[in-house]
Amino acid sequence: MTVVDVINKYQEKYDLTKHEHLVLGIIESIDDGVLERQDQLPSINEMVAELGYARKTIVGAYEELKSRGLVESKKAKGYFIVSKETNMVRRIALLLYSLQRFQKEFYDAFRGELGERFQIDVFFHHNNLSVFENTLMNIKGKYGFYVVAPIPHPVAKSLLGSFSSDKLLVVDRFVQPSKNYSYISQEFGNSTYNKLLKLLPKIRKYKLFVLFVDEDGDLPKSVVNAFEKFLSDHNVKGVIEKKYDLSILKKDHLYFTTNDSFLWDILKDCTDKKYVLGKDVGILSHDDHIIKKFISGGITTISTDFSEMGVQAALHVKSGEMTQQITPSYLIDRGSV
């Protein structure tokens, strides 16, 4: 196998720029012994003839290898390998909803597990389909791997289906493109219903069960469906509210918040009214956080482990093996219901 063969393999396998094909192909050739110290790289003209790349692309790749201390140029002779101390950096594009607390937990674990041999560029779509589409189109073909938290929408499904399945990992929300691919996702419907069922004896002590759904948020519809099914199946009186104000806060009511801005407002008003959580009013929150362990004596939550999701996503990127995994959700009962 020659260095050109290795570069061609990168061209076929990885969705990268031509510059990256050259740099990473030559680095792999060094790591695998195809190229040894003092070996001469193919000339610029030879590379143009073999690969069809522009001269400036090949020169740019060779110069980057020089800057890494792997290659040196000799006047009128060409480029030569001078070191085998490679430190291959694979570029990862990570597209998330926004820098929310649980997204940061995912990123920190993902970054920590991958280590220094991976470069991660982070993008956010803020649940905006136009931003999601434009971001994907702008980054496509520029990275070795794509980790995407998608928007559940037919357009998103089509966009994801245009990526090579061996270079794509879908995380957090589950969207099924037209072909088989890897995912590490949450399941919201059954998990929400089952966690509410565990709390049923406590829920029954309240006169009204209130679910807050931010109309501008990204709460999966399956959570709302699970809530409504739970009310119907167990004859629990409940309502859905899209906004919170002080007039909604009443004794003997249980509040299920899926947006932390609602939660902080409710807790502030409970403190002002001297309401005791778990006695005067109940609070149930979506997505756990260390603060929820301590604030107001502890807030009961339904949540997945985003740090573990980040670790599993990183392990998938490093292994390249097919991964199809639903991360479990947990009920953390701290007595606020």
Side-chain angles (χ1 to χ4, degrees):
M1 178 176 286
T2 68
V3 63
V4 172
D5 293 329
V6 179
I7 293 169
N8 281 327
K9 183 184 72 171
Y10 263 86
Q11 192 172 9
E12 295 168 2
K13 185 175 180 182
Y14 295 112
D15 192 10
L16 303 168
T17 65
K18 291 178 180 179
H19 177 91
E20 289 170 322
H21 290 153
L22 288 161
V23 171
L24 297 180
I26 292 170
I27 287 175
E28 182 172 317
S29 297
I30 295 171
D31 285 340
D32 290 350
V34 175
L35 291 172
E36 300 289 349
R37 287 186 185 87
Q38 305 307 319
D39 282 352
Q40 184 174 3
L41 288 171
S43 70
I44 305 298
N45 290 336
E46 288 172 332
M47 282 295 209
V48 170
E50 290 278 0
L51 299 171
Y53 290 0
R55 291 180 61 86
K56 66 178 182 180
T57 300
I58 298 166
V59 171
Y62 280 11
E63 290 300 312
E64 178 176 332
L65 292 165
K66 278 181 63 178
S67 71
R68 295 191 185 198
L70 299 174
V71 167
E72 71 176 12
S73 59
K74 297 180 180 180
K75 190 174 182 179
K77 291 186 177 181
Y79 291 85
F80 294 82
I81 304 299
V82 293
S83 173
K84 297 196 69 174
E85 298 300 317
T86 62
N87 182 24
M88 187 186 302
V89 176
R90 191 175 184 190
R91 298 181 68 207
I92 309 295
L94 176 62
L95 178 56
L96 300 175
Y97 278 80
S98 62
L99 193 58
Q100 299 178 40
R101 185 272 320 153
F102 58 90
Q103 302 275 345
K104 187 175 187 306
E105 283 187 7
F106 173 92
Y107 172 79
D108 288 344
F110 185 67
R111 168 75 279 173
E113 180 63 35
L114 281 180
E116 296 302 318
R117 290 172 67 85
F118 294 82
Q119 173 186 323
I120 305 171
D121 291 344
V122 186
F123 306 87
F124 301 105
H125 58 70
H126 304 286
N127 205 41
N128 182 303
L129 189 60
S130 177
V131 174
F132 181 82
E133 181 175 8
N134 289 336
T135 302
L136 280 185
M137 291 300 94
N138 286 335
I139 65 178
K140 187 176 181 181
K142 297 179 180 178
Y143 291 85
F145 206 90
Y146 302 85
V147 179
V148 180
I151 297 174
H153 190 280
V155 171
K157 176 180 177 179
S158 176
L159 287 168
L160 292 172
S162 70
F163 282 74
S164 299
S165 58
D166 62 340
K167 305 176 188 69
L168 174 68
L169 174 67
V170 172
V171 296
D172 196 5
R173 307 295 167 86
F174 179 81
V175 171
Q176 178 67 64
S178 58
K179 56 188 175 185
N180 207 23
Y181 74 108
S182 291
Y183 59 82
I184 300 174
S185 303
Q186 298 186 70
E187 190 285 318
F188 293 93
N190 291 334
S191 60
T192 298
Y193 185 94
N194 291 333
K195 301 307 179 290
L196 293 179
L197 192 59
K198 288 185 177 181
L199 289 170
L200 181 58
K202 294 185 176 183
I203 291 173
R204 288 202 183 280
K205 70 183 182 182
Y206 295 97
K207 294 179 180 178
L208 188 69
F209 191 7
V210 181
L211 171 65
F212 286 102
V213 177
D214 183 358
E215 55 189 350
D216 296 322
D218 55 14
L219 182 71
K221 178 65 176 175
S222 54
V223 173
V224 177
N225 294 340
F227 177 78
E228 293 176 332
K229 184 177 188 302
F230 175 81
L231 298 182
S232 175
D233 288 353
H234 302 285
N235 196 29
V236 173
K237 185 178 179 181
V239 296
I240 295 174
E241 296 283 359
K242 294 184 178 179
K243 294 182 179 180
Y244 170 77
D245 61 57
L246 183 57
S247 66
I248 296 175
L249 183 63
K250 300 181 185 299
K251 278 191 174 184
D252 299 319
H253 286 195
L254 169 61
Y255 301 96
F256 184 8
T257 67
T258 59
N259 181 313
D260 282 352
S261 64
F262 290 156
L263 175 63
W264 311 139
D265 288 341
I266 294 171
L267 292 178
K268 174 186 176 299
D269 291 339
C270 284
T271 299
D272 291 344
K273 286 179 171 289
K274 296 182 170 43
Y275 287 168
V276 177
L277 300 190
K279 180 180 178 182
D280 299 319
V281 298
I283 299 287
L284 174 64
S285 177
H286 211 262
D287 297 329
D288 198 39
H289 186 277
I290 187 65
I291 292 174
K292 296 177 185 179
K293 181 177 181 180
F294 301 105
I295 193 168
S296 299
I299 305 299
T300 297
T301 61
I302 297 173
S303 181
T304 194
D305 188 333
F306 293 99
S307 293
E308 179 60 21
M309 185 186 291
V311 169
Q312 293 303 316
L315 292 174
H316 168 80
V317 170
K318 290 193 288 187
S319 73
E321 298 177 356
M322 175 66 72
T323 303
Q324 295 182 329
Q325 178 178 322
I326 298 297
T327 59
S329 293
Y330 303 96
L331 172 65
I332 306 173
D333 190 348
R334 298 189 176 108
S336 65
V337 174

